[in-house]
Every structure is written in C-alpha cells, then in structure tokens.
Amino acid sequence: MMEAVSRPAIAGPLLLIVAWAVYQLFFKPSALPDLPIVGARPGDWSPMWQARLRNFKDMKAALNSSYAQYQNQATILPLLDSGNIVLLPQSDTKFLADQPDNVLNMHDQAQDSLQTDYTTMDPSLTHDPIHTNIIVGTLTKEIANLVPGLAEEIAYCFDRHLGADPEFKEIGVYDSMQHVLSGVTNRALVGFPLCREQKVLDMGIAFAQDIPLSSMLMRCFPGFAKPLVAPLITLPNRIHTRKFEKLLAPEIETRLQQCGLRQGVQASEKSDVPRRNDFLQWSIEQAKAIGNPKNWRVSALAQRVLLLNFAAIHTSTFAMTHVLLDLASAPPEIIEELREEAANMLKEHDGQWSKRGLAQLEKLDSAMRESQRKNSFVGLGLMRKVVAQDGVTFPSGVHVRQGNSVCVPAYSVLQDSAVYTDPKTYKPFRFYEARVSETEGYVKRARNAFPTASPDFLGWGLGRNACPGRFFASNEIKMMLAYLLLHYDIEHQESRPRNVWFGMNRIPPMKATLRMRKRATA
C-alpha cells in the first residue's frame, strides 16, 4: 500500500489535496462577516468544518436553532456541500428579492448550486437561458390552449399507471406520480405522440434524477479537482443526454425542415401540416427569430427540452406526492368536499376542462398551497451570490462582501406560529378561508392562491426571479389532482409518513404507498 502511495503519479495529487485541506482548515483568510456560526460549539478546534458536519447530519435542527436564537440577526450557516452561507433575518427578504442581478445574482448562484458547467453537456445553454423567455411569455400565455391536450394526457397516464381495478391496490405514490407527470409535462414540451414514447420519458426522468445527485457530489470537491472527477461523476448525465437527443432527433429534423432551417429547404407558407403548439416548436421559432444557427442545432433544442424535464418533473412530483399523502391522512370528508367542488365545476362547464374552470377550484387550490406550506422543498429561500464589487449592506446592518452567498429563512417561516396559526397541522382550507374572508381586500385575498409568491411563502421564490413556470405547474397539478379525486378512491391513513431531509432540502418519503381503486361512478 505504502509503495503505491509513494509513486509520483499518486503522491503528487494526494499531497495537493492534503495541502488544500490544511489551507482551507487553518490558513485561508475569511471573507465572511463576523457573525454567529450555526452549528458551532464552544471548544471546537475548527468551528466552520465541525458545524458543517453537524448541520449536514441534522439540517432541520440547524434551521430551527438559527431561527429560534437569531431570528432578528444574520448568521453564518456552514453547509457540507455548499460552503458557508450568510443566512439573513426574514426582515431582509424583500430587500434581497428587489436587488438587481448586478448586485445579487440568482443565476450565478443556481449555476453554482447545480454545477451546470459539469452536470449539463452543453453549459452554454444555461449561460444563455433563452428558454426562460419562452416559459415566462409563450408557455404562460398558452395555458388555456394547452389545457384540453393536458386533460387528454392526464386521463391516459392515470389509466396507464393506476389502472382501472375496482378493488383497492397498493401503489408507490412518488414513482406513480413521477411517471404521470412525465407524460403530462411532455405533452406540453414535445407534443403528441412523442409524449407517449416510453424511452423518451425514461430518459427525461433519468436526467431529472442525475442532476441533484451529480451536483451534490461535484460540490464536495475543490475547484481544481472538479475537471478531474466530473467525467466519472457525470457519466450517467452524458449517457442519458445522448440517448434523449437521439430519440428526439427525427422529430426535430422534420420540424426544422418545415420551418426552412435546413439548407436547400424553404419554409412553405401554406402547409398541410398544422402548426405544433408545444415548447419544442416555440424553441425552433425562437431560434429562427434570433437568427443564430447554434440555437437550432438538434443537440441544443433537445437539451433545452431535457433541462425543462428536470425543472418541471422533479418539483411537481414532490408537490403531488405531498398533497396526496396529506389528503389521505386528513379527515375523509375533506376529499369528499374537494371532489364535489371539482364535479360541480365540470358540470358547469359541460364536462370540459378549461383554465377558467380550474380557477374556480379554490378549495383544491388551498389544499395544494397548504401542502406546499407544510412540506416545502425549500429549506433556505432566495439564494443569491453577491456580485457587486463593493459588496452589499442589508437593512439588518450586516455587510456581505463580493463572492459570498446569501439567503433568508424559508422552512422556518412556514413553520412559525406567529405567521401561520397551528403551523404543524395540515389545514387544507387555510388559504381558502383567507380568500373568501370579507374582512380582507381583493388583492390580499388573491395573494393566497397556490402560485402566488410572497415574503412569508418562498416556495416559488419572490419578485422578478420567482419561478417562471409556476402558473403552468399550478394548473397542471390542480387538474391532475382533481381528475384523480374524481376517478379514484384513496383509502384513509391514520398517520402521514414523515418527510426526509436531503442536504438543505426536504423531500417526501420516496417509498410511501397508498391504497387506491378506480371509482365505480367515474
């Protein structure tokens, strides 16, 4: 063993890593403000590193401790895979959200968190995220036109993955909802019939699972080591990306020809082929309008679809899993009341799903928002990187230098009894009651809708950088949940399975099951 270690090819890199670790532990100058360290204890020989380990082992305790002891002041929150973050008090939330990108940058922070220079095969796509313009503009505007196709896909996917058995059977909630959401989401991304190609859906799901794991592993390595370990850590990412590109290539080539983006082929003004109305088509038309050939490369178009698979499927699956587990353990009359609301809406709209009809499902909307409040994936809100050369001074008085990361409490606020009464209890109509309250003004009532972002509800972010796809996602999840309640019975559970902390985020119990059956009256 010692003989192998003494070889120059091994000893050199090993000494470099040891030297880096010693420097980080004992000699690196701190650019952080002088603040309390969450997780540190008196007598620690290396407070930052020991706090990182403690916080990694119990993030919930770290967040609760910080919020209870230092609610009105900033602290330093050391994280094993994300470095040392300045955790600001909640009073700084609006100021943080309002800062321009040349002061506090969300995009830089997200790229660092997801390690997109290594975990995606073409990092230029995340450095030039033109697809965000489509999500903010076209996707949101087209929700009403997409609803009929999504409704068709929801019926198909639930029938396929939950079946039509009139007897109760056990289903894995997370896995089932992930497969349903994959099909429904890709109906809007690539259209029919590609959204029913199982290999396409499998690669989208696989990539959505690759990114969180590979980015977490990449964050554990110092900058100089990342290029060395990335080829191994991100091997699954590359495999799934190439397979996805290959599967989409024929469809993309066909559409490029129809748009006149292939040499020697002119776009026909009058074509027998109807214009597709999905993200892939919008991306091709956007690329043509911009006029840069790199944007209509097959690989670029396919990978932008893949990026949206990651962004959409992961978080929406969490939301669906959480709300189903919450409703299954709520009093049985809650499901009956939600079912009645959905049935009445459909009756009023002649049995047709529509955006207008979905907006009427205020009780269901409330049940979804309350589930997100109680089980929010977001432990820390509004993560930003300080990019202003002179740093930033926050209203709370703390000055943070350039290069540091900042955030505000998210989980702790959602569990604060001063903000939400009885926060540990799932109250499905909490937000519905606030919306119909005659003592509140219209604007304040509207703030209780599922897709609304606010300083005390950071699940969607806040301000101009709030989640751009939240309006599509909220309609998609609402329609899925309404359909499921109308067509399936859910056996009541006495207690809800506990959530799990994964780093700084909270996720549903992935192996939780529910017993369901197809309703005879459906």
Side-chain angles (χ1 to χ4, degrees):
M1 176 69 177
M2 292 302 297
E3 183 178 341
V5 171
S6 65
R7 293 176 182 174
I10 297 177
L14 190 60
L15 286 172
L16 192 61
I17 292 174
V18 171
W20 174 83
V22 171
Y23 172 75
Q24 292 285 329
L25 282 169
F26 302 109
F27 300 108
K28 183 180 179 181
S30 176
L32 292 163
D34 185 16
L35 296 169
I37 302 171
V38 179
R41 297 173 182 172
D44 281 349
W45 56 272
S46 180
M48 288 292 192
W49 280 90
Q50 287 175 269
R52 284 188 183 190
L53 292 172
R54 294 186 188 114
N55 295 340
F56 177 77
K57 288 171 63 177
D58 195 344
M59 177 57 66
K60 179 180 177 180
L63 296 179
N64 286 337
S65 171
S66 174
Y67 196 70
Q69 294 182 59
Y70 309 108
Q71 186 170 354
N72 298 314
Q73 74 171 98
T75 60
I76 295 173
L77 180 64
L79 300 174
L80 189 63
D81 63 343
S82 300
N84 303 315
I85 298 173
V86 178
L87 176 56
L88 301 164
Q90 200 227 353
S91 58
D92 284 339
T93 299
K94 190 176 186 306
F95 176 86
L96 191 160
D98 288 343
Q99 296 312 295
D101 291 339
N102 62 354
V103 176
L104 296 175
N105 196 286
M106 184 196 74
H107 189 65
D108 287 359
Q109 179 64 44
Q111 286 191 307
D112 186 56
S113 177
L114 296 174
Q115 296 285 291
T116 53
D117 283 348
Y118 302 101
T119 57
T120 62
M121 299 308 98
D122 186 353
S124 70
L125 302 181
T126 58
H127 286 279
D128 184 23
I130 57 175
H131 50 273
T132 303
N133 297 329
I134 295 177
I135 300 168
V136 173
T138 311
L139 177 61
T140 301
K141 291 176 183 177
E142 287 294 325
I143 290 174
N145 294 325
L146 293 173
V147 164
L150 295 177
E152 180 181 277
E153 206 60 32
I154 286 170
Y156 171 82
C157 289
F158 272 121
D159 188 58
R160 180 179 181 185
H161 295 289
L162 296 189
D165 196 331
E167 301 296 327
F168 278 111
K169 67 174 183 179
E170 194 169 60
I171 65 123
V173 185
Y174 179 82
D175 287 342
S176 297
M177 293 306 105
Q178 185 179 61
H179 283 99
V180 172
L181 266 157
S182 176
V184 175
T185 301
N186 276 287
R187 179 70 177 247
L189 296 183
V190 297
F192 177 85
L194 207 54
C195 64
R196 296 187 185 180
E197 177 59 55
Q198 191 58 48
K199 291 181 180 178
V200 170
L201 303 183
D202 288 345
M203 290 305 103
I205 290 173
F207 184 78
Q209 295 171 337
D210 292 337
I211 293 289
L213 178 59
S214 59
S215 61
M216 184 186 73
L217 293 174
M218 288 299 301
R219 290 195 301 269
C220 294
F221 289 88
F224 69 84
K226 291 182 190 292
L228 302 176
V229 299
L232 179 61
I233 291 175
T234 64
L235 180 60
N237 307 45
R238 296 197 303 279
I239 291 173
H240 297 139
T241 298
R242 298 308 174 213
K243 288 184 177 180
F244 190 81
E245 286 179 14
K246 187 176 180 180
L247 290 165
L248 258 63
E251 177 68 15
I252 293 174
E253 286 287 358
T254 298
R255 298 198 194 190
L256 289 173
Q257 289 182 20
Q258 292 169 353
C259 287
L261 291 175
R262 279 292 175 256
Q263 190 172 4
V265 179
Q266 295 294 322
S268 175
E269 295 183 4
K270 294 183 179 180
S271 173
D272 294 333
V273 181
R275 177 185 176 273
R276 306 300 292 269
N277 195 34
D278 53 46
F279 174 80
L280 176 57
Q281 186 66 32
W282 306 329
S283 297
I284 292 172
E285 292 169 2
Q286 179 194 51
K288 184 175 182 179
I290 292 173
N292 190 334
K294 76 179 182 68
N295 291 321
W296 64 69
R297 295 196 314 265
V298 170
S299 61
L301 292 165
Q303 287 186 47
R304 289 197 192 277
V305 173
L306 199 54
L307 287 172
L308 286 207
N309 268 264
F310 160 68
I313 295 173
H314 223 61
T315 50
S316 293
T317 300
F318 288 162
M320 273 297 295
T321 302
H322 280 310
V323 72
L324 286 175
L325 293 176
D326 286 333
L327 290 174
S329 56
E333 59 268 21
I334 297 296
I335 287 181
E336 287 303 322
E337 192 166 347
L338 296 175
R339 187 177 283 150
E340 181 181 9
E341 180 186 53
N344 288 340
M345 180 276 290
L346 281 176
K347 183 178 180 180
E348 181 182 335
H349 292 268
D350 299 322
Q352 300 299 309
W353 295 93
S354 66
K355 182 182 176 183
R356 183 181 175 186
L358 290 171
Q360 296 176 223
L361 302 180
E362 294 186 352
K363 292 180 181 179
L364 193 67
D365 186 277
S366 174
M368 292 157 53
R369 186 172 174 88
E370 170 69 351
S371 181
Q372 191 181 51
R373 180 202 66 79
K374 190 171 182 297
N375 309 289
S376 176
F377 171 76
V378 180
L380 302 169
L382 308 184
M383 293 279 287
R384 301 287 190 271
K385 182 166 285 188
V386 178
V387 295
Q389 186 174 358
D390 297 329
V392 181
T393 300
F394 290 87
S396 59
V398 64
H399 179 79
V400 184
R401 291 165 60 180
Q402 183 185 40
N404 285 306
S405 295
V406 297
C407 65
V408 291
Y411 163 80
S412 303
V413 175
L414 295 170
Q415 306 298 319
D416 187 347
S417 59
V419 181
Y420 296 100
T421 57
D422 197 8
K424 303 298 181 185
T425 302
Y426 176 67
K427 296 183 174 181
F429 300 143
R430 180 192 299 272
F431 296 101
Y432 171 75
E433 290 165 0
R435 289 181 75 171
V436 300
S437 172
E438 294 183 358
T439 62
E440 303 288 358
Y442 171 78
V443 173
K444 193 168 184 180
R445 293 201 306 269
R447 287 176 183 164
N448 291 286
F450 182 47
T452 303
S454 66
D456 55 8
F457 196 100
L458 297 177
W460 301 108
L462 186 65
R464 66 183 179 282
N465 284 315
C467 173
R470 66 190 186 278
F471 299 105
F472 171 80
S474 63
N475 279 280
E476 177 187 42
I477 296 169
K478 188 186 294 186
M479 189 156 43
M480 284 179 56
L481 184 57
Y483 181 91
L484 189 149
L485 295 180
L486 286 170
H487 292 81
Y488 292 88
D489 285 321
I490 304 173
E491 191 170 79
H492 179 71
Q493 286 194 324
E494 290 301 320
S495 61
R496 186 198 193 278
R498 296 174 66 88
N499 296 323
V500 179
W501 283 89
F502 183 75
M504 69 180 80
N505 301 120
R506 194 168 48 149
I507 61 176
M510 311 293 261
K511 299 300 181 183
T513 61
L514 289 174
R515 286 169 56 80
M516 298 186 188
R517 68 181 178 190
K518 191 72 178 284
R519 298 187 72 221
T521 56

